[in-house]
Amino acid sequence: MSAKLKLNFWQIWNMNVGFFGIQYSFGLQQSAVNPIYDFLHASPDQIPLLNLAGPVTGLLIQPLIGAMSDNTWHPRWGRRKPYFFVGALLCSIALLLFPFSSSLWMAAGLLWILDAGNNTAMEPYRAFVADKLDADQQPVGFQMQSFFTGFGQTLANLSLFIFPLIFIGKTGSLPTWIYASFFLGSVCSIGTIWWSMKTTPEIPPTEEELAVMRAKKGGIIEPIVEIFGAIGEMPKVMWQLALVYLFQWYALFCYWQNSSKSIALSVWNATPDSNPAAYETAVGWTGLVNGWYNIVTFLIAFALVGFAKKFSPKNVHAFCLLLAALGFLAFPHIANKYLLFVAITGFGIGWASMMGIPYLMVVADIPKERYGVYMGIINMMIVIPMIIQNLTFGYILKNFLNNDPRLAITFAGALLLIGTFCTLLIKTKKVSH
């Protein structure tokens, strides 16, 4: 690859703007999709299975697209850009159609399309940042993504609180505000990706790199072989991170699936069936609470870069996971709706770390010509715990936690404590200054 030029702050900013659209969409998935399932009368133990789309499409699509983008070059369209443009287009279409869901299975089907789009965009985007920035600027690049993650998800979550105040009543089987939130997401998804594509050129490969790409066979088999080969040669630090991710991502899905129902019970003593009006109020408040943790995320994202250089990424991530765990353990016991913001602040700090710091732990061990495939494999380490959660947690919730969403969040807090301990066992290379 040609030499990497030092980029200024605004060039790194422009390069990452597209992450805002991807993460607005993801924020709606976290906070709005499960209430839509509730409004369409899904039972609590059905919810994990209905969320299977995200992790399954992530498992199948992200590493495959990552490997394919490693071996792509078009003089006009580039290497990574064709993939995140197609992904953003799919997201926009799915977000536009989502509020018209008239049944549970229509909503679940559209979630599959939405997640396929998100996952097509995500890993080439992370590899794009690694391609453009040298080792010294990569921490800022990855944490800029963390900043836009927080910013995009904040707007998505705040729309859940603000839009019900503006758009009253129902349209079809769903509240009218859902249409406004998803339509805005549709515009953000394609618009922000277009901005990053327009403002940020890719670095052309050298003649030697082009020769290697051309020598590789085309088709879908080669990337699959590449993925399995890369897993076989995976650095030890990535296996250690995989153990952390098992507990971390299982826990997060438990929170996202149950947060609005937990708040409805602890603050309003309501369920979606016993008091639909109170539950809708709780959904709006959950949007505000989740919006707050994302505000914390983008406020603290860049500070974590400095801490990671001073104290090591491993220690910073372990501390942030501990704060998130304590927040989750307190969360279901809070009856005062304003104190929920205090509890969720811990998760906001944890989320800022999760979005960027683990990449700093492993990037020094990854060969640069395989950034795409290894970023895809890291995503496999995220989605496999989510698939396990989707397939097992409905049973656990029904048979051991009495279908109580508050106990689900306590369970999530306990898992994050285990994840904290596992993080401390990781052995990493020192981050460059």
Side-chain angles (χ1 to χ4, degrees):
M1 194 176 285
S2 306
K4 297 178 182 182
L5 299 173
K6 287 280 184 188
L7 302 187
N8 65 36
F9 179 86
W10 292 111
Q11 287 171 315
I12 297 174
W13 172 281
N14 283 332
M15 179 172 63
N16 282 293
V17 163
F19 236 69
F20 173 85
I22 294 171
Q23 296 299 333
Y24 183 102
S25 168
F26 191 54
L28 286 179
Q29 285 176 242
Q30 286 176 15
S31 297
V33 168
N34 288 311
I36 287 173
Y37 288 152
D38 293 328
F39 291 133
L40 295 170
H41 308 295
S43 68
D45 51 276
Q46 281 182 302
I47 298 289
L49 212 50
L50 289 166
N51 279 276
L52 199 55
V56 170
T57 54
L59 182 65
L60 297 175
I61 290 172
Q62 282 204 23
L64 189 63
I65 294 290
M68 287 168 67
S69 73
D70 280 345
N71 298 307
T72 295
W73 178 254
H74 187 281
R76 183 176 176 189
W77 303 112
R79 186 179 202 171
R80 315 292 184 183
K81 287 180 182 180
Y83 297 96
F84 50 75
F85 178 72
V86 169
L89 202 56
L90 268 180
C91 281
S92 279
I93 293 165
L95 288 167
L96 205 58
L97 296 176
F98 214 106
F100 298 99
S101 299
S102 54
S103 68
L104 212 46
W105 297 110
M106 182 179 172
L110 282 168
L111 185 60
W112 281 85
I113 297 168
L114 180 59
D115 271 311
N118 258 341
N119 284 302
T120 300
M122 187 76 78
E123 258 14 78
Y125 215 130
R126 290 204 189 278
F128 178 54
V129 172
D131 290 342
K132 287 285 290 181
L133 299 174
D134 63 20
D136 195 46
Q137 288 197 307
Q138 280 175 354
V140 178
F142 285 127
Q143 285 308 106
M144 184 73 83
Q145 290 193 350
S146 184
F147 170 85
F148 276 115
T149 295
F151 193 37
Q153 293 184 17
T154 297
L155 184 60
N157 281 294
L158 290 180
S159 77
L160 269 64
F161 180 76
I162 295 165
F163 286 173
L165 305 177
I166 303 166
F167 304 99
I168 312 293
K170 293 181 85 170
T171 303
S173 51
L174 296 172
T176 305
W177 60 263
I178 286 175
Y179 291 78
S181 291
F182 278 79
F183 291 171
L184 179 58
S186 181
V187 173
C188 287
S189 183
I190 196 70
T192 58
I193 288 282
W194 177 84
W195 178 271
S196 287
M197 289 177 67
K198 200 80 177 160
T199 57
T200 311
E202 293 198 64
I203 300 173
T206 61
E207 284 302 318
E208 292 82 1
E209 287 169 331
L210 276 173
V212 170
M213 285 183 201
R214 289 178 189 132
K216 293 195 175 184
K217 298 183 186 74
I220 205 165
I221 301 299
E222 186 70 22
I224 292 171
V225 172
E226 168 80 358
I227 289 160
F228 280 103
I231 290 171
E233 297 163 21
M234 201 159 82
K236 185 181 176 184
V237 67
M238 286 183 66
W239 289 106
Q240 294 170 326
L241 184 63
L243 183 63
V244 175
Y245 274 14
L246 174 64
F247 297 103
Q248 175 181 302
W249 289 99
Y250 194 114
L252 297 201
F253 252 40
C254 292
Y255 171 77
W256 289 324
Q257 290 165 8
N258 291 280
S259 52
S260 56
K261 288 192 283 288
S262 174
I263 288 174
L265 274 171
S266 66
V267 178
W268 281 275
N269 196 27
T271 66
D273 294 325
S274 71
N275 190 340
Y279 178 64
E280 200 174 325
T281 303
V283 168
W285 197 258
T286 306
L288 215 51
V289 169
N290 287 348
W292 171 247
Y293 85 66
N294 282 294
I295 289 171
V296 171
T297 292
F298 73 72
L299 289 177
I300 202 165
F302 293 115
L304 292 184
V305 176
F307 290 136
K309 287 183 175 182
K310 189 172 182 182
F311 301 109
S312 90
K314 175 182 86 170
N315 292 333
V316 168
H317 192 60
F319 182 69
C320 292
L321 276 188
L322 178 62
L323 292 179
L326 296 175
F328 278 180
L329 291 171
F331 194 86
H333 303 287
I334 294 170
N336 181 328
K337 64 183 182 180
Y338 297 102
L339 290 179
L340 291 166
F341 294 101
V342 178
I344 210 62
T345 297
F347 179 47
I349 296 167
W351 187 233
S353 181
M354 291 171 203
M355 289 294 97
I357 298 300
Y359 296 94
L360 297 181
M361 292 188 216
V362 301
V363 75
D365 292 83
I366 297 172
K368 66 180 174 57
E369 68 277 3
R370 299 178 93 177
Y371 278 152
V373 69
Y374 274 118
M375 292 299 170
I377 290 168
I378 289 172
N379 190 67
M380 290 171 72
M381 289 155 38
I382 294 172
V383 298
I384 288 170
M386 290 180 174
I387 291 171
I388 295 169
Q389 194 272 354
N390 291 149
L391 295 175
T392 61
F393 192 64
Y395 180 83
I396 292 168
L397 186 61
K398 190 174 182 180
N399 293 283
F400 298 101
L401 303 178
N402 200 29
N403 261 347
D404 188 330
R406 294 165 298 188
L407 293 177
I409 292 175
T410 302
F411 186 72
L415 292 178
L416 286 184
L417 286 178
I418 299 170
T420 302
F421 176 73
C422 293
T423 303
L424 293 171
L425 301 177
I426 293 178
K427 290 182 170 57
T428 60
K429 289 184 180 177
K430 193 166 173 58
V431 175
S432 61
H433 284 65

